[in-house]
Amino acid sequence: MEKVRVIEIKESIFADNDREAERIRGDLKAEKTYLLNLMSSPGAGKTTTLLRTIEALKDEMRIGVMEADIDSSVDAEKIAVTGVKSIQLHTGGMCHLDAGMTEQGLKEIGTEDLDLVVLENVGNLVCPAEFDTGAVKNAMILSVPEGHDKPLKYPLIFTVCDALIINKIDVLPYFDFDMEKVVEYAHMRNPNLKIFPISAKTGEGVGAWADWLRAQVKGWNEA
């Protein structure tokens, strides 16, 4: 009986994507544009957090936002009101963005006159974590109502992220959420993870997050 050939398609796809992502980072470095990939589950508060971040940084740097969704342009319209560049990316039913899709978005938004571009990825804790988008750094949002055990259930996204925003701390009294445990579990996955408890609704804690991002952009553009 002839031996059947087995081709590892997934591995090949990831390898091709990773090469493209590295090239995108090189292009962004040449332009002195910092790309942040922001991930979370649906409803964690990505867009509200972005609005607060833009409010804190827009007078210091030129910002663009790429909103990724399966459909609709609701989030991009909210961002556009702030006066920063904003475009909506539709993924055609896919639950993530890869490097190729990100590059299309970067070409559409135009990066030559931007210091910071934020990619608000599709709301999902699994698929987006698997694909390198070409971003300089990855950040994610975990909201208090989701529970403190998410680093145990979704390890990859905590592993690939550089910053964790714990949002909706204003509702901590109403949920069984253990801040010490979530920090412990997150650092089990990634000891270098920077953690920022915030309330995007009230603005509490946003300053520390904005300071970190400001330093990241400055370091990238000056290196």
Side-chain angles (χ1 to χ4, degrees), residues 204-222:
E204 182 181 358
V206 172
W209 154 248
D211 287 344
W212 179 85
L213 185 54
R214 181 186 293 111
Q216 291 292 313
V217 175
K218 183 178 180 182
W220 175 256
N221 290 342
E222 291 181 353

Side-chain angles (χ1 to χ4, degrees), residues 28-29 31-35 111 114-115 117 136 220-221:
L28 291 170
K29 184 66 175 174
E31 292 181 358
K32 296 186 179 298
T33 302
Y34 187 100
L35 175 62
T111 55
L114 295 177
D115 304 303
V117 177
V136 182
W220 175 256
N221 290 342

Side-chain angles (χ1 to χ4, degrees), residues 84-105:
V84 305
K85 269 189 174 183
S86 176
I87 63 169
Q88 187 77 47
L89 307 179
H90 285 166
T91 64
M94 298 185 71
C95 60
H96 69 275
L97 284 168
D98 59 22
M101 298 174 190
T102 303
E103 185 172 35
Q104 290 180 52

Side-chain angles (χ1 to χ4, degrees), residues 144 166-173 179 197-200 202 204-205:
V144 166
I166 301 174
N167 191 26
K168 305 187 182 181
I169 58 172
D170 51 299
V171 298
L172 271 170
M179 187 66 72
I198 76 162
S199 168
T202 68
E204 182 181 358

Side-chain angles (χ1 to χ4, degrees), residues 38-59:
L38 184 62
M39 299 177 281
S40 81
S41 59
K46 286 196 299 299
T47 304
T48 307
T49 299
L50 262 178
L51 290 170
R52 285 286 185 181
T53 305
I54 291 167
E55 182 183 4
L57 298 176
K58 71 176 183 178
D59 292 336

Side-chain angles (χ1 to χ4, degrees), residues 157-222:
I157 193 166
F158 291 87
T159 302
V160 303
C161 280
D162 303 279
L164 166 62
I165 299 168
I166 301 174
N167 191 26
K168 305 187 182 181
I169 58 172
D170 51 299
V171 298
L172 271 170
Y174 309 106
F175 289 88
D176 183 19
F177 186 95
D178 191 321
M179 187 66 72
E180 290 185 2
K181 282 292 184 186
V182 76
V183 171
E184 176 190 345
Y185 295 155
H187 280 155
M188 281 171 52
R189 301 302 184 193
N190 184 351
N192 298 317
L193 192 64
K194 303 296 183 184
I195 300 177
F196 303 96
I198 76 162
S199 168
K201 181 178 180 180
T202 68
E204 182 181 358
V206 172
W209 154 248
D211 287 344
W212 179 85
L213 185 54
R214 181 186 293 111
Q216 291 292 313
V217 175
K218 183 178 180 182
W220 175 256
N221 290 342
E222 291 181 353

